[in-house]
Amino acid sequence: MFKVRVIPCLDVKDGRVVKGVNFVNLRDAGDPVEAAIAYDAAGADELCFLDITASHEKRDTIYDVVTRTAEACFMPLTVGGGVRTVDDIRKLLTCGADKVSINTAAVDRRAFVKEAAEKFGDQCIVVAIDAKKVSKPGEKDRWEIFTFGGRKQTGIDAIEYAREVVSLGAGEILLTSMDRDGTKSGYDIPLTRAIADAIPVPVIASGGVGTLAHMVDGIRDGHATAVLAASIFHFGEHSVREAKVYMDKAGLPMRLDP
Amino acid sequence: MSVAIVDYGSGNLHSAAKAFERAARESGHDQPIVVTSDPGQVARADRVVLPGVGAFADCRRGLDDIPGMIEALEQTVRQRGRPFFGICVGMQLMADVGREHGVTPGLGWIPGEVDRIAPSDPNLKIPHMGWNTLNMLKPHPLLTDIPLGPDGLHAYFVHSYELKAAQRSDLVAQANYGGPLTAIVGRDNMVGTQFHPEKSQKLGLKLIANFLKWAP
């Protein structure tokens, strides 16, 4: 039977793990490879690294992290953050990433998604969508794509954009609600559901997990096929296995291999 | 003794090589694992692994672009009968023909075609991406000591196409995704998995270890 995926996400800066609240106040929380090994052992279904290294000189640190992770963990790994060229993708895949997530580069130039998918296959091209609600209370729900960590409004409708990148070859959508990210108030369920129901490829719900029940909501009500979370796991509030057992008890199909 | 992992420009050989090295070390069947694009090395290998990520047509082109590689594979696997393991598109290439991005000939080792998956439930997403259990159709040495069935271990899949084998006797295991999907094919000294053993944690490492001691 096909199972729901639980994906811990590690924000990595200069080769170290960090997690911010609404992308500010970053905290250092250790070696990404050690964290990856721990998540592997805890039964994570995939792992996601988001590279938020700003300085150009330190961009190569992520390749080392990915290489060392792939040597130690035999689980699927998605890497995103600053992926702008076909060569960036090739390097990450060569180091051992299975999927690469593209964000701003796809907003800036949609053809990049097509080039990447044609080169490496749809299955390894994830498009990360950062969306924020722009409709007023009482209006029909509408979300737009935001870039620069939620600061820059693009005017692009999130649902139309999701349909477009999928038609260009995105094999999966990593959907983050910028309204919810870091708030611990749960995924934006109407957003998740609107996107998941609009496209044929899997959607990973992201942004806002505060409780294990939120993860159930993301799948059951948001129609996502996978849930991504960071701080709830990363600061030890819950283990990945606890989350999966909880979701299993809630009636979702979970992989609980020993 | 050596295991050749064929490098023909189809990404992610690093994880495959590391998984084979670890399985070799931990299972007590330690043997050199070589990632190679040299047909000579493939021809001399005792075991051959053909990985593959991407589209069928691109992978076939990648193999064709290395002079002598198809011949080396034919010689080692088909004539000398060395154990062969195809992974994902590497497994699909064993078929007669692929229908992804046009019609492309495969190696023709397992009668059948590679075509788009079509789950009966329209709500199921494509690609089939994630963890699924395996249902065994016939016993195979590679499945020794691996718990299968609905309560068994899981394998990691990422694909939109599957090998539809013409002969049921070539099917070793299936996964269920809105209907049965080909998960493992096997014939004589050849085996192929649609899923990624190098990403399938316990099940994957055990399967690889079983391959490394397989004497068909």
Side-chain angles (χ1 to χ4, degrees), chain A residues 160-183:
Chain A
E160 281 170 26
Y161 178 75
R163 284 203 182 103
E164 187 182 359
V165 293
V166 168
S167 75
L168 292 171
E172 189 170 46
I173 297 295
L174 167 53
L175 176 64
T176 303
S177 161
M178 300 309 284
D179 296 312
R180 298 299 182 93
D181 201 52
T183 65

Side-chain angles (χ1 to χ4, degrees), chain A residues 1-5 39-41 43-46 66-68 70-77 93-99 117-124 170-172 195-203 223 225 254-258, chain B residues 9 11-20 22-23 25 53-55 58 100-101 116 123-135 149-160 176-177 196-203 205:
Chain A
M1 189 183 195
F2 186 66
K3 300 295 160 43
V4 164
R5 283 172 287 155
Y39 284 137
D40 190 17
D45 296 305
E46 275 183 37
V66 172
T67 304
R68 289 191 293 124
E71 284 170 10
C73 299
F74 300 104
M75 67 187 306
L77 176 65
L93 295 177
T94 307
C95 290
D98 299 282
K99 295 186 266 183
E118 281 176 358
K119 190 86 205 157
F120 305 104
D122 297 5
Q123 83 293 331
C124 71
E172 189 170 46
I195 302 267
D197 289 354
I199 55 173
V201 305
V203 170
H223 298 179
T225 55
M254 305 306 297
R255 181 181 71 105
L256 295 168
D257 288 350
Chain B
N12 211 357
L13 300 188
H14 183 67
S15 3
K18 289 294 162 190
F20 275 78
R22 172 137 147 202
R25 207 166 52 235
V53 170
D58 293 335
E100 184 175 12
H101 297 184
R116 196 165 167 83
N123 291 322
L124 286 173
K125 303 292 192 177
I126 297 173
H128 170 224
M129 186 184 289
W131 298 85
N132 211 327
T133 47
L134 303 176
N135 302 314
D151 299 319
L153 294 177
H154 293 76
Y156 186 79
F157 290 83
V158 189
H159 64 120
S160 304
N176 192 345
Y177 192 67
H196 288 269
E198 78 280 18
K199 292 289 162 180
S200 295
Q201 294 178 330
K202 283 194 183 67
L203 178 145
L205 290 172

Side-chain angles (χ1 to χ4, degrees), chain B residues 4 29 61 67 90-91 99-100 131-132 163 166 170 173 179 184 197 200:
Chain B
H29 294 273
R61 200 176 310 125
M91 168 263 217
R99 301 195 175 279
E100 184 175 12
W131 298 85
N132 211 327
L163 198 169
D170 290 331
I184 307 178
S200 295

Side-chain angles (χ1 to χ4, degrees), chain A residues 180-217:
Chain A
R180 298 299 182 93
D181 201 52
T183 65
K184 293 187 172 283
S185 58
Y187 299 116
D188 183 335
I189 295 299
L191 166 67
T192 309
R193 186 173 189 145
I195 302 267
D197 289 354
I199 55 173
V201 305
V203 170
I204 305 171
S206 158
V209 171
T211 68
L212 299 181
H214 289 152
M215 304 179 89
V216 174
D217 298 342

Side-chain angles (χ1 to χ4, degrees), chain B residues 131-147:
Chain B
W131 298 85
N132 211 327
T133 47
L134 303 176
N135 302 314
M136 187 168 77
L137 300 184
K138 68 170 187 186
H140 193 283
L142 259 70
L143 297 177
T144 306
D145 294 333
I146 298 179

